[in-house]
Amino acid sequence: MRAELFVPPVAFHAEGPVWWPDDGSPVANTLRYVDMLAGRILTVRPEALTAGSRSPGTSAGSALTPVAPDMVDALDVPGPVAGCLRPRVAGGVAVLTEHGLSVSDDPAGGAWTEIAEVVTDPDVRFNDGGCDPAGRFLAGTMRYDQGKGGGALYRITGDGAVSTVFDDVTISNGIAWTSDERRAFYNDTPTRSTWVLDWDESAGLTNPRRVFTLDDDDPAGGPDGLCVDTEDNVWTAIYGGSRVECRDAEGTLLEVVDLPVTNVTACTFGGPDLRTLFITTTQENAEPGTQPGAGGVFAVAPGATGVPAAPFDG
């Protein structure tokens, strides 16, 4: 199965895609993602998703009609980094910045308030994350130089309280919960593995074990962002591997989505029925001019239905 270009490369390092819920705002029911190292949130105008001749999720392999660059709106966040964003339970938006978590009462963003400053080391930044079923932000960091063990995974509650979940990761990346809310999948990219952990609201994440590990002879860098479908299969962007892999909870490979660019960063299910897989990519580490789609968002309907991203309770 091959994904098609949906959003042209208006970003350098596209990351953190999320399908925005029907919150009654001008950004409801559309795709949002970040240009991470430019510190920007990118929002596909909702009308762009209804203007094409094809609908998301109509059949396996189908995708949306590509949108024009001027149909993507950009919003600066505080500081030079936008890690990922999530809707808020009470309305508005929460975004990981370089060193903390900021919120806005406006779903479209703006008038930011920092509710947690987490990182004090200037050589460390936030990278990726997501909200657990209780609405707490699980936010991962990494060193700018990608030094081993220089990152962590933090839990940020709605009142801004911060606790450490893991303190010895390198590039903390995708995290997502199963539909029954009892397990979560997680990536620390240099381990070249996707992990599954047990979860409940009081204990949090416990009992990590490997779901799969890339083969030693695989030239890809490692698992990056991920999402989960309603069958509790995990869809993982393989950075440096030109693909997204779908595996079941035991690690069995079920499906591969190929892309015409090397560095695939993250994926999420979206569309009104959550049956279109949106896949972000980056121009990072690509020879200039050799991959015209790098930095764009690709789309495919793989015949699965996604689990909505949990909102932040803050």
Side-chain angles (χ1 to χ4, degrees):
M1 190 177 297
R2 190 170 181 86
E4 302 174 16
L5 186 65
F6 169 57
V7 182
V10 296
F12 178 81
H13 187 76
E15 263 278 15
V18 60
W19 183 258
W20 211 252
D22 187 6
D23 60 2
S25 74
V27 295
N29 297 313
T30 194
L31 179 70
R32 309 186 79 181
Y33 60 108
V34 299
D35 189 354
M36 181 176 280
L37 300 180
R40 300 189 304 164
I41 294 171
L42 301 176
T43 302
V44 178
R45 294 182 187 173
E47 58 265 32
L49 289 146
T50 58
S53 59
R54 287 182 290 171
S55 302
T58 53
S59 63
S62 67
L64 292 168
T65 300
V67 305
D70 61 3
M71 296 298 286
V72 182
D73 295 324
L75 172 73
D76 291 335
V77 307
V81 172
C84 69
L85 71 157
R86 287 293 185 271
R88 297 168 66 193
V89 170
V93 58
V95 63
L96 286 180
T97 60
E98 184 181 30
H99 293 149
L101 180 66
S102 290
V103 299
S104 173
D105 292 335
D106 182 354
W112 298 104
T113 299
E114 185 176 69
I115 67 166
E117 182 181 8
V118 181
V119 178
T120 57
D121 186 342
D123 295 326
V124 174
R125 65 169 177 86
F126 273 114
N127 186 53
D128 200 358
C131 293
D132 70 16
R136 303 171 296 198
F137 220 121
L138 277 288
T141 63
M142 60 176 285
R143 288 185 58 84
Y144 275 101
D145 65 8
Q146 303 183 17
K148 182 175 175 58
L153 182 68
Y154 298 97
R155 181 171 56 235
I156 307 171
T157 62
D159 60 3
V162 179
S163 57
T164 302
V165 180
F166 305 131
D167 61 1
D168 187 26
V169 301
T170 300
I171 302 177
S172 186
N173 243 312
I175 186 167
W177 279 258
T178 55
S179 58
D180 64 6
E181 302 181 352
R182 297 176 59 185
R183 291 168 295 148
F185 293 98
Y186 172 68
N187 286 336
D188 178 7
T189 297
T191 68
R192 295 174 60 81
S193 301
T194 289
W195 302 75
V196 66
L197 304 99
D198 298 326
W199 183 88
D200 67 51
E201 185 170 353
S202 59
L205 296 170
T206 58
N207 190 26
R209 59 267 189 203
R210 295 177 194 259
V211 175
F212 77 93
T213 302
L214 294 179
D215 294 338
D216 290 342
D217 59 357
D218 190 329
D224 202 317
L226 58 79
C227 63
V228 177
D229 67 27
T230 54
E231 300 298 318
D232 294 339
N233 302 314
V234 59
W235 297 75
T236 307
I238 306 299
Y239 187 94
S242 302
R243 67 189 189 273
V244 171
E245 293 185 353
C246 174
R247 294 178 182 263
D248 65 18
E250 285 70 48
T252 302
L253 183 64
L254 304 177
E255 184 64 81
V256 175
V257 179
D258 294 313
L259 285 89
V261 300
T262 303
N263 296 320
V264 185
T265 57
C267 53
T268 195
F269 281 95
D273 50 9
L274 296 180
R275 290 181 61 82
T276 298
L277 186 69
F278 295 101
I279 306 164
T280 53
T281 66
T282 179
Q283 299 178 46
E284 177 185 69
N285 297 322
E287 189 69 25
T290 61
Q291 298 184 27
V297 180
F298 291 76
V300 66
T305 302
V307 176
F312 176 57
D313 190 15

